[in-house]
Amino acid sequence: MTAPAPRPGIMDIRPYVGGESAIEGVSRTVKLSSNEGALGPSPKAMEAVRAMTAEMHRYPDGGAEQLRQAIAARYDLDANRIVCGAGSDELLGILCRAFAGPGDEVLYSAHGFLMYSIASKACGATPVTAPEVELTANVDNLLKAVTPRTKIVFLANPNNPTGTYLPATEVERLRAGLPAHVLLVIDAAYAEFVTRNDFTSGLELVDSGDNTVVCRTFSKMFALGGLRLGWAYGPENVVGVLNRVRNPFNVSSAALAAGLAAFEDTDYADLCKRHNDYWLPWLSGKIAALGLQVVPSVGNFVLVRFPATAGKDAASADKFLRSRGVIVRAVAAYGLGDCLRITIGTGEENQVVVDTLTEFVKG
């Protein structure tokens, strides 16, 4: 007798492992491993969740009507072309399931988000990567990697874990160079943190064609990672597919209530943005002053490269930080075994990281 067998390729998936939250034997930890919002969620979002607890026996609004309308009003979008999901990860997975399958290819840059590979393999497609240049996605390399089997191109902009980005003109050039049947998915999870004149989240490209989708999340700037909430904006042909494939009640009532309150609390979002604007260059400068290479980032995290010297490499730094209760993100799974990714935390947490790294480098 044989046991039930999964489809070919499923067992090739390396399960995604999120950033750790605790260290055995350590009572207090500084968790900077998951790019979570440094200041936590909006107080109004927390109050919204408390207020809806008496209604948690009711099914949520399957169409996320209020939230979609609020998003549409903020960005001047068509609410009928917005789809909400249980985090943008769910929407990325649905797009793969709906538009790619066995024999197809899904393309992304060499150090792109790990979920692209997982989602590709889960639907039977083949993940393909294109080389980056200076840890940044490269349009020419991506276009060279397109084949007749390419069905989806994922572009994380800004990219996780590098923190680098492509300017709007390059994203437009990428889309212009793709065959019409290839779906361009712009994963703009960190867009709210970016302050660059040449950057856009890509929403304007959606309205100028039939093959571009932009995905956004409430997990980063709005600090609602624990509730799982994201949204996508796309052309009617793609949105119609998403609404057919997603679960009918895929976003919880708590997530919808918190998301709407957080989205409308612009004062708190501005505070979080100012916090990141101050501490991102501060942390980058302090770490660079230790002689470590810091990749210029526009997100809420920094990628730090360590030397290959035994005892001073990334693995040794990670071990030392953990011994002091500081949890950062090892990124060997992204092909960056000589690097660690460090989330921007509170002022106190950022100081702890600098003090601990100083002790490691100079010890």
Side-chain angles (χ1 to χ4, degrees), residues 165-223:
Y165 77 101
L166 285 182
T169 53
E170 282 297 277
V171 179
E172 185 176 0
R173 188 165 73 88
L174 172 62
R175 206 278 292 274
L178 292 175
H181 73 276
V182 175
L183 181 66
L184 174 62
V185 180
I186 303 172
D187 181 2
Y190 298 91
E192 288 89 353
F193 293 104
V194 186
T195 306
R196 294 289 191 277
N197 292 334
D198 60 352
F199 173 83
T200 73
S201 67
L203 289 172
E204 72 283 354
L205 292 178
V206 176
D207 292 328
S208 60
D210 295 322
N211 67 333
T212 304
V213 177
V214 173
C215 291
R216 305 285 289 268
T217 184
F218 280 79
S219 297
K220 307 305 177 185
M221 175 64 82
F222 299 107

Short mmCIF file of all heavy atoms in Angstrom, two decimals, residues 165-223:
data_model
loop_
_atom_site.label_atom_id
_atom_site.label_comp_id
_atom_site.label_asym_id
_atom_site.label_seq_id
_atom_site.Cartn_x
_atom_site.Cartn_y
_atom_site.Cartn_z
N TYR A 165 15.42 49.86 -4.53
CA TYR A 165 14.21 50.06 -5.31
C TYR A 165 14.54 50.45 -6.74
O TYR A 165 15.67 50.86 -7.05
CB TYR A 165 13.34 51.14 -4.67
CG TYR A 165 13.83 52.56 -4.92
CD1 TYR A 165 13.22 53.37 -5.89
CD2 TYR A 165 14.90 53.10 -4.20
CE1 TYR A 165 13.67 54.66 -6.13
CE2 TYR A 165 15.34 54.39 -4.43
CZ TYR A 165 14.73 55.17 -5.40
OH TYR A 165 15.18 56.45 -5.63
N LEU A 166 13.54 50.32 -7.60
CA LEU A 166 13.64 50.81 -8.97
C LEU A 166 12.82 52.08 -9.10
O LEU A 166 11.68 52.14 -8.62
CB LEU A 166 13.11 49.77 -9.96
CG LEU A 166 13.98 48.55 -10.24
CD1 LEU A 166 13.31 47.67 -11.29
CD2 LEU A 166 15.36 48.95 -10.71
N PRO A 167 13.35 53.11 -9.75
CA PRO A 167 12.56 54.32 -9.98
C PRO A 167 11.40 54.04 -10.93
O PRO A 167 11.40 53.04 -11.66
CB PRO A 167 13.57 55.29 -10.59
CG PRO A 167 14.64 54.43 -11.15
CD PRO A 167 14.72 53.22 -10.27
N ALA A 168 10.43 54.93 -10.92
CA ALA A 168 9.21 54.73 -11.71
C ALA A 168 9.50 54.54 -13.19
O ALA A 168 8.85 53.73 -13.86
CB ALA A 168 8.27 55.92 -11.50
N THR A 169 10.49 55.25 -13.71
CA THR A 169 10.80 55.14 -15.14
C THR A 169 11.28 53.74 -15.50
O THR A 169 10.98 53.23 -16.58
CB THR A 169 11.86 56.17 -15.55
OG1 THR A 169 13.01 56.05 -14.69
CG2 THR A 169 11.30 57.58 -15.46
N GLU A 170 12.03 53.12 -14.59
CA GLU A 170 12.52 51.76 -14.85
C GLU A 170 11.40 50.73 -14.74
O GLU A 170 11.35 49.77 -15.51
CB GLU A 170 13.65 51.42 -13.88
CG GLU A 170 14.99 52.03 -14.24
CD GLU A 170 15.50 51.51 -15.58
OE1 GLU A 170 16.11 50.43 -15.60
OE2 GLU A 170 15.27 52.18 -16.61
N VAL A 171 10.50 50.92 -13.79
CA VAL A 171 9.36 50.01 -13.68
C VAL A 171 8.49 50.11 -14.93
O VAL A 171 8.02 49.11 -15.48
CB VAL A 171 8.54 50.32 -12.42
CG1 VAL A 171 7.34 49.37 -12.33
CG2 VAL A 171 9.39 50.19 -11.17
N GLU A 172 8.31 51.33 -15.42
CA GLU A 172 7.55 51.52 -16.65
C GLU A 172 8.24 50.86 -17.83
O GLU A 172 7.60 50.26 -18.71
CB GLU A 172 7.36 53.01 -16.90
CG GLU A 172 6.47 53.33 -18.08
CD GLU A 172 6.22 54.82 -18.24
OE1 GLU A 172 6.75 55.61 -17.43
OE2 GLU A 172 5.49 55.19 -19.17
N ARG A 173 9.57 50.95 -17.87
CA ARG A 173 10.32 50.31 -18.95
C ARG A 173 10.20 48.79 -18.88
O ARG A 173 10.12 48.11 -19.92
CB ARG A 173 11.80 50.73 -18.87
CG ARG A 173 12.63 50.28 -20.07
CD ARG A 173 13.95 51.01 -20.11
NE ARG A 173 14.88 50.56 -19.08
CZ ARG A 173 15.72 49.54 -19.24
NH1 ARG A 173 15.73 48.86 -20.37
NH2 ARG A 173 16.56 49.22 -18.26
N LEU A 174 10.17 48.26 -17.68
CA LEU A 174 9.99 46.82 -17.51
C LEU A 174 8.64 46.40 -18.07
O LEU A 174 8.54 45.45 -18.85
CB LEU A 174 10.10 46.45 -16.03
CG LEU A 174 9.74 45.00 -15.68
CD1 LEU A 174 10.68 44.01 -16.37
CD2 LEU A 174 9.78 44.80 -14.16
N ARG A 175 7.61 47.11 -17.66
CA ARG A 175 6.27 46.74 -18.14
C ARG A 175 6.18 46.87 -19.65
O ARG A 175 5.60 46.01 -20.33
CB ARG A 175 5.24 47.64 -17.46
CG ARG A 175 3.83 47.00 -17.35
CD ARG A 175 3.00 47.13 -18.59
NE ARG A 175 2.64 48.52 -18.82
CZ ARG A 175 1.56 49.11 -18.29
NH1 ARG A 175 0.77 48.44 -17.47
NH2 ARG A 175 1.27 50.36 -18.59
N ALA A 176 6.77 47.92 -20.22
CA ALA A 176 6.71 48.13 -21.66
C ALA A 176 7.42 47.01 -22.42
O ALA A 176 7.06 46.70 -23.56
CB ALA A 176 7.33 49.48 -22.02
N GLY A 177 8.43 46.40 -21.80
CA GLY A 177 9.20 45.37 -22.47
C GLY A 177 8.63 43.98 -22.35
O GLY A 177 9.11 43.05 -23.00
N LEU A 178 7.59 43.82 -21.54
CA LEU A 178 7.01 42.50 -21.34
C LEU A 178 5.96 42.20 -22.41
O LEU A 178 5.21 43.09 -22.83
CB LEU A 178 6.33 42.41 -19.97
CG LEU A 178 7.25 42.45 -18.75
CD1 LEU A 178 6.41 42.48 -17.47
CD2 LEU A 178 8.21 41.26 -18.73
N PRO A 179 5.88 40.95 -22.85
CA PRO A 179 4.79 40.56 -23.75
C PRO A 179 3.44 40.80 -23.07
O PRO A 179 3.33 40.74 -21.83
CB PRO A 179 5.04 39.06 -23.98
CG PRO A 179 6.48 38.85 -23.66
CD PRO A 179 6.81 39.83 -22.58
N ALA A 180 2.42 41.06 -23.85
CA ALA A 180 1.11 41.42 -23.29
C ALA A 180 0.51 40.32 -22.42
O ALA A 180 -0.28 40.61 -21.51
CB ALA A 180 0.15 41.77 -24.43
N HIS A 181 0.89 39.06 -22.67
CA HIS A 181 0.29 37.96 -21.92
C HIS A 181 0.97 37.73 -20.57
O HIS A 181 0.49 36.93 -19.77
CB HIS A 181 0.35 36.67 -22.73
CG HIS A 181 1.74 36.09 -22.83
ND1 HIS A 181 2.64 36.51 -23.78
CD2 HIS A 181 2.38 35.15 -22.09
CE1 HIS A 181 3.77 35.85 -23.64
NE2 HIS A 181 3.64 35.02 -22.62
N VAL A 182 2.07 38.43 -20.30
CA VAL A 182 2.80 38.26 -19.04
C VAL A 182 2.25 39.23 -18.00
O VAL A 182 2.15 40.44 -18.26
CB VAL A 182 4.31 38.49 -19.23
CG1 VAL A 182 5.04 38.41 -17.89
CG2 VAL A 182 4.89 37.44 -20.20
N LEU A 183 1.91 38.71 -16.85
CA LEU A 183 1.36 39.53 -15.77
C LEU A 183 2.49 40.10 -14.93
O LEU A 183 3.31 39.35 -14.39
CB LEU A 183 0.43 38.68 -14.89
CG LEU A 183 -0.25 39.39 -13.72
CD1 LEU A 183 -1.23 40.44 -14.23
CD2 LEU A 183 -0.96 38.39 -12.82
N LEU A 184 2.54 41.43 -14.81
CA LEU A 184 3.51 42.08 -13.94
C LEU A 184 2.85 42.35 -12.60
O LEU A 184 1.84 43.06 -12.53
CB LEU A 184 3.99 43.40 -14.56
CG LEU A 184 4.90 44.26 -13.68
CD1 LEU A 184 6.20 43.54 -13.33
CD2 LEU A 184 5.19 45.60 -14.36
N VAL A 185 3.42 41.79 -11.54
CA VAL A 185 2.90 41.98 -10.19
C VAL A 185 3.91 42.80 -9.41
O VAL A 185 5.02 42.33 -9.13
CB VAL A 185 2.65 40.63 -9.48
CG1 VAL A 185 2.10 40.88 -8.07
CG2 VAL A 185 1.68 39.78 -10.29
N ILE A 186 3.54 44.02 -9.08
CA ILE A 186 4.41 44.90 -8.31
C ILE A 186 4.05 44.76 -6.84
O ILE A 186 2.94 45.13 -6.43
CB ILE A 186 4.26 46.37 -8.77
CG1 ILE A 186 4.58 46.49 -10.27
CG2 ILE A 186 5.18 47.29 -7.96
CD1 ILE A 186 4.26 47.86 -10.85
N ASP A 187 4.97 44.23 -6.09
CA ASP A 187 4.76 44.00 -4.66
C ASP A 187 5.32 45.21 -3.90
O ASP A 187 6.52 45.30 -3.66
CB ASP A 187 5.48 42.71 -4.25
CG ASP A 187 5.32 42.36 -2.79
OD1 ASP A 187 4.61 43.08 -2.06
OD2 ASP A 187 5.91 41.34 -2.37
N ALA A 188 4.43 46.14 -3.54
CA ALA A 188 4.85 47.41 -2.95
C ALA A 188 4.57 47.44 -1.45
O ALA A 188 4.00 48.40 -0.92
CB ALA A 188 4.15 48.57 -3.65
N ALA A 189 5.01 46.39 -0.76
CA ALA A 189 4.71 46.27 0.67
C ALA A 189 5.29 47.40 1.50
O ALA A 189 4.75 47.75 2.56
CB ALA A 189 5.22 44.92 1.18
N TYR A 190 6.40 47.98 1.04
CA TYR A 190 7.10 49.00 1.83
C TYR A 190 6.95 50.39 1.24
O TYR A 190 7.69 51.31 1.60
CB TYR A 190 8.58 48.63 1.96
CG TYR A 190 8.80 47.32 2.67
CD1 TYR A 190 8.86 46.13 1.95
CD2 TYR A 190 8.93 47.27 4.05
CE1 TYR A 190 9.04 44.91 2.60
CE2 TYR A 190 9.11 46.06 4.71
CZ TYR A 190 9.17 44.88 3.99
OH TYR A 190 9.33 43.69 4.64
N ALA A 191 5.99 50.57 0.34
CA ALA A 191 5.87 51.84 -0.39
C ALA A 191 5.67 53.03 0.53
O ALA A 191 6.17 54.13 0.25
CB ALA A 191 4.72 51.75 -1.39
N GLU A 192 4.94 52.84 1.64
CA GLU A 192 4.64 53.98 2.52
C GLU A 192 5.89 54.57 3.16
O GLU A 192 5.86 55.72 3.61
CB GLU A 192 3.67 53.55 3.62
CG GLU A 192 2.26 53.29 3.16
CD GLU A 192 2.02 51.87 2.71
OE1 GLU A 192 3.01 51.10 2.63
OE2 GLU A 192 0.87 51.52 2.42
N PHE A 193 6.97 53.82 3.21
CA PHE A 193 8.19 54.32 3.85
C PHE A 193 9.06 55.14 2.91
O PHE A 193 9.98 55.82 3.36
CB PHE A 193 9.03 53.14 4.39
CG PHE A 193 8.38 52.41 5.52
CD1 PHE A 193 7.78 51.16 5.32
CD2 PHE A 193 8.34 52.95 6.80
CE1 PHE A 193 7.19 50.48 6.36
CE2 PHE A 193 7.76 52.28 7.85
CZ PHE A 193 7.17 51.04 7.63
N VAL A 194 8.81 55.06 1.61
CA VAL A 194 9.73 55.63 0.64
C VAL A 194 9.51 57.13 0.47
O VAL A 194 8.38 57.58 0.27
CB VAL A 194 9.60 54.94 -0.73
CG1 VAL A 194 10.67 55.47 -1.69
CG2 VAL A 194 9.71 53.43 -0.58
N THR A 195 10.61 57.87 0.55
CA THR A 195 10.58 59.31 0.27
C THR A 195 11.61 59.59 -0.82
O THR A 195 12.75 59.96 -0.55
CB THR A 195 10.90 60.13 1.53
OG1 THR A 195 10.02 59.74 2.59
CG2 THR A 195 10.71 61.61 1.28
N ARG A 196 11.22 59.36 -2.04
CA ARG A 196 12.08 59.60 -3.19
C ARG A 196 11.23 60.20 -4.31
O ARG A 196 10.15 59.70 -4.60
CB ARG A 196 12.74 58.30 -3.69
CG ARG A 196 13.72 57.66 -2.73
CD ARG A 196 15.00 58.49 -2.61
NE ARG A 196 16.04 57.77 -1.90
CZ ARG A 196 16.16 57.70 -0.59
NH1 ARG A 196 15.25 58.32 0.18
NH2 ARG A 196 17.14 57.04 -0.02
N ASN A 197 11.72 61.23 -4.94
CA ASN A 197 10.96 61.90 -5.99
C ASN A 197 10.74 61.01 -7.21
O ASN A 197 9.79 61.22 -7.97
CB ASN A 197 11.66 63.18 -6.42
CG ASN A 197 11.64 64.25 -5.35
OD1 ASN A 197 10.74 64.25 -4.50
ND2 ASN A 197 12.60 65.15 -5.37
N ASP A 198 11.60 60.02 -7.39
CA ASP A 198 11.49 59.18 -8.59
C ASP A 198 10.79 57.85 -8.32
O ASP A 198 10.81 56.95 -9.15
CB ASP A 198 12.88 58.92 -9.19
CG ASP A 198 13.81 58.19 -8.21
OD1 ASP A 198 13.45 58.03 -7.03
OD2 ASP A 198 14.92 57.81 -8.64
N PHE A 199 10.13 57.73 -7.17
CA PHE A 199 9.47 56.47 -6.82
C PHE A 199 7.96 56.62 -6.82
O PHE A 199 7.41 57.63 -6.39
CB PHE A 199 9.90 56.01 -5.42
CG PHE A 199 9.13 54.80 -4.92
CD1 PHE A 199 9.51 53.53 -5.29
CD2 PHE A 199 8.00 54.96 -4.12
CE1 PHE A 199 8.79 52.42 -4.86
CE2 PHE A 199 7.28 53.86 -3.67
CZ PHE A 199 7.68 52.57 -4.05
N THR A 200 7.28 55.59 -7.34
CA THR A 200 5.84 55.44 -7.14
C THR A 200 5.56 53.98 -6.82
O THR A 200 6.40 53.10 -7.11
CB THR A 200 5.02 55.83 -8.39
OG1 THR A 200 5.18 54.82 -9.40
CG2 THR A 200 5.43 57.19 -8.93
N SER A 201 4.41 53.72 -6.25
CA SER A 201 4.05 52.32 -5.95
C SER A 201 3.66 51.56 -7.20
O SER A 201 3.54 50.33 -7.17
CB SER A 201 2.90 52.28 -4.94
OG SER A 201 1.71 52.79 -5.52
N GLY A 202 3.43 52.26 -8.30
CA GLY A 202 3.07 51.60 -9.55
C GLY A 202 1.59 51.60 -9.86
O GLY A 202 1.16 51.07 -10.88
N LEU A 203 0.78 52.21 -8.98
CA LEU A 203 -0.67 52.19 -9.20
C LEU A 203 -1.06 52.81 -10.54
O LEU A 203 -2.03 52.39 -11.18
CB LEU A 203 -1.38 52.93 -8.06
CG LEU A 203 -1.38 52.24 -6.70
CD1 LEU A 203 -1.93 53.17 -5.63
CD2 LEU A 203 -2.19 50.95 -6.76
N GLU A 204 -0.29 53.82 -10.97
CA GLU A 204 -0.64 54.49 -12.23
C GLU A 204 -0.49 53.57 -13.44
O GLU A 204 -1.15 53.76 -14.47
CB GLU A 204 0.23 55.75 -12.43
CG GLU A 204 1.69 55.49 -12.77
CD GLU A 204 2.56 55.06 -11.61
OE1 GLU A 204 2.05 55.05 -10.46
OE2 GLU A 204 3.74 54.74 -11.83
N LEU A 205 0.35 52.52 -13.32
CA LEU A 205 0.53 51.60 -14.44
C LEU A 205 -0.66 50.68 -14.62
O LEU A 205 -0.91 50.19 -15.73
CB LEU A 205 1.79 50.76 -14.22
CG LEU A 205 3.14 51.49 -14.30
CD1 LEU A 205 4.28 50.53 -14.02
CD2 LEU A 205 3.31 52.17 -15.65
N VAL A 206 -1.39 50.45 -13.54
CA VAL A 206 -2.54 49.54 -13.62
C VAL A 206 -3.58 50.07 -14.59
O VAL A 206 -4.21 49.31 -15.34
CB VAL A 206 -3.16 49.34 -12.22
CG1 VAL A 206 -4.41 48.47 -12.31
CG2 VAL A 206 -2.15 48.72 -11.27
N ASP A 207 -3.77 51.38 -14.58
CA ASP A 207 -4.81 51.98 -15.41
C ASP A 207 -4.40 52.17 -16.86
O ASP A 207 -5.20 52.62 -17.67
CB ASP A 207 -5.22 53.34 -14.83
CG ASP A 207 -5.93 53.20 -13.49
OD1 ASP A 207 -6.63 52.19 -13.31
OD2 ASP A 207 -5.78 54.10 -12.64
N SER A 208 -3.16 51.82 -17.19
CA SER A 208 -2.70 52.04 -18.56
C SER A 208 -2.44 50.73 -19.29
O SER A 208 -1.68 50.69 -20.26
CB SER A 208 -1.42 52.89 -18.55
OG SER A 208 -0.38 52.24 -17.83
N GLY A 209 -3.06 49.66 -18.84
CA GLY A 209 -2.88 48.37 -19.50
C GLY A 209 -3.72 47.30 -18.85
O GLY A 209 -4.47 47.56 -17.90
N ASP A 210 -3.57 46.08 -19.33
CA ASP A 210 -4.37 44.96 -18.81
C ASP A 210 -3.53 43.91 -18.09
O ASP A 210 -4.04 42.84 -17.75
CB ASP A 210 -5.11 44.27 -19.97
CG ASP A 210 -6.15 45.17 -20.61
OD1 ASP A 210 -6.80 45.94 -19.88
OD2 ASP A 210 -6.30 45.10 -21.86
N ASN A 211 -2.24 44.19 -17.87
CA ASN A 211 -1.38 43.12 -17.36
C ASN A 211 -0.54 43.55 -16.15
O ASN A 211 0.54 43.00 -15.93
CB ASN A 211 -0.46 42.60 -18.47
CG ASN A 211 0.57 43.63 -18.92
OD1 ASN A 211 0.34 44.83 -18.82
ND2 ASN A 211 1.71 43.15 -19.40
N THR A 212 -1.03 44.52 -15.36
CA THR A 212 -0.27 44.97 -14.20
C THR A 212 -1.15 44.97 -12.95
O THR A 212 -2.28 45.48 -12.99
CB THR A 212 0.31 46.37 -14.41
OG1 THR A 212 1.10 46.38 -15.61
CG2 THR A 212 1.18 46.79 -13.24
N VAL A 213 -0.61 44.42 -11.87
CA VAL A 213 -1.29 44.40 -10.57
C VAL A 213 -0.32 44.96 -9.53
O VAL A 213 0.88 44.66 -9.58
CB VAL A 213 -1.70 42.97 -10.16
CG1 VAL A 213 -2.35 42.97 -8.78
CG2 VAL A 213 -2.66 42.39 -11.18
N VAL A 214 -0.83 45.75 -8.61
CA VAL A 214 -0.03 46.25 -7.49
C VAL A 214 -0.60 45.67 -6.20
O VAL A 214 -1.81 45.73 -5.98
CB VAL A 214 -0.04 47.79 -7.43
CG1 VAL A 214 0.66 48.28 -6.16
CG2 VAL A 214 0.64 48.37 -8.66
N CYS A 215 0.27 45.10 -5.39
CA CYS A 215 -0.13 44.55 -4.09
C CYS A 215 0.43 45.41 -2.96
O CYS A 215 1.59 45.82 -3.01
CB CYS A 215 0.36 43.12 -3.93
SG CYS A 215 -0.47 41.93 -5.01
N ARG A 216 -0.40 45.66 -1.96
CA ARG A 216 0.00 46.46 -0.80
C ARG A 216 -0.36 45.69 0.47
O ARG A 216 -1.14 44.74 0.43
CB ARG A 216 -0.71 47.82 -0.81
CG ARG A 216 -0.53 48.64 -2.09
CD ARG A 216 0.85 49.26 -2.20
NE ARG A 216 1.00 50.35 -1.22
CZ ARG A 216 0.73 51.62 -1.49
NH1 ARG A 216 0.28 51.97 -2.69
NH2 ARG A 216 0.93 52.56 -0.57
N THR A 217 0.19 46.12 1.60
CA THR A 217 -0.05 45.40 2.85
C THR A 217 -0.29 46.36 4.00
O THR A 217 0.13 47.52 3.97
CB THR A 217 1.15 44.50 3.19
OG1 THR A 217 0.86 43.73 4.36
CG2 THR A 217 2.42 45.32 3.45
N PHE A 218 -0.95 45.86 5.04
CA PHE A 218 -1.14 46.59 6.29
C PHE A 218 -0.18 46.08 7.37
O PHE A 218 -0.28 46.48 8.52
CB PHE A 218 -2.58 46.43 6.79
CG PHE A 218 -3.56 47.34 6.09
CD1 PHE A 218 -4.04 47.02 4.83
CD2 PHE A 218 -4.00 48.50 6.69
CE1 PHE A 218 -4.94 47.84 4.18
CE2 PHE A 218 -4.91 49.34 6.06
CZ PHE A 218 -5.38 49.01 4.80
N SER A 219 0.76 45.22 7.00
CA SER A 219 1.64 44.60 7.98
C SER A 219 2.83 45.46 8.37
O SER A 219 3.41 45.25 9.44
CB SER A 219 2.17 43.26 7.45
OG SER A 219 1.11 42.35 7.24
N LYS A 220 3.20 46.42 7.53
CA LYS A 220 4.44 47.16 7.75
C LYS A 220 4.15 48.54 8.36
O LYS A 220 4.21 48.71 9.56
CB LYS A 220 5.21 47.27 6.43
CG LYS A 220 5.44 45.91 5.76
CD LYS A 220 6.13 44.91 6.68
CE LYS A 220 6.28 43.56 6.00
NZ LYS A 220 6.84 42.56 6.94
N MET A 221 3.84 49.53 7.55
CA MET A 221 3.59 50.87 8.09
C MET A 221 2.45 50.86 9.11
O MET A 221 2.51 51.55 10.14
CB MET A 221 3.25 51.83 6.96
CG MET A 221 2.86 53.24 7.44
SD MET A 221 4.21 54.10 8.29
CE MET A 221 5.13 54.71 6.87
N PHE A 222 1.40 50.07 8.86
CA PHE A 222 0.24 50.07 9.74
C PHE A 222 0.34 49.06 10.88
O PHE A 222 -0.54 48.98 11.73
CB PHE A 222 -1.03 49.84 8.93
CG PHE A 222 -1.27 50.91 7.89
CD1 PHE A 222 -1.08 50.63 6.54
CD2 PHE A 222 -1.64 52.19 8.25
CE1 PHE A 222 -1.28 51.61 5.58
CE2 PHE A 222 -1.85 53.18 7.30
CZ PHE A 222 -1.66 52.89 5.96
N ALA A 223 1.41 48.26 10.89
CA ALA A 223 1.74 47.36 12.00
C ALA A 223 0.61 46.42 12.37
O ALA A 223 0.33 46.18 13.55
CB ALA A 223 2.16 48.19 13.22
#
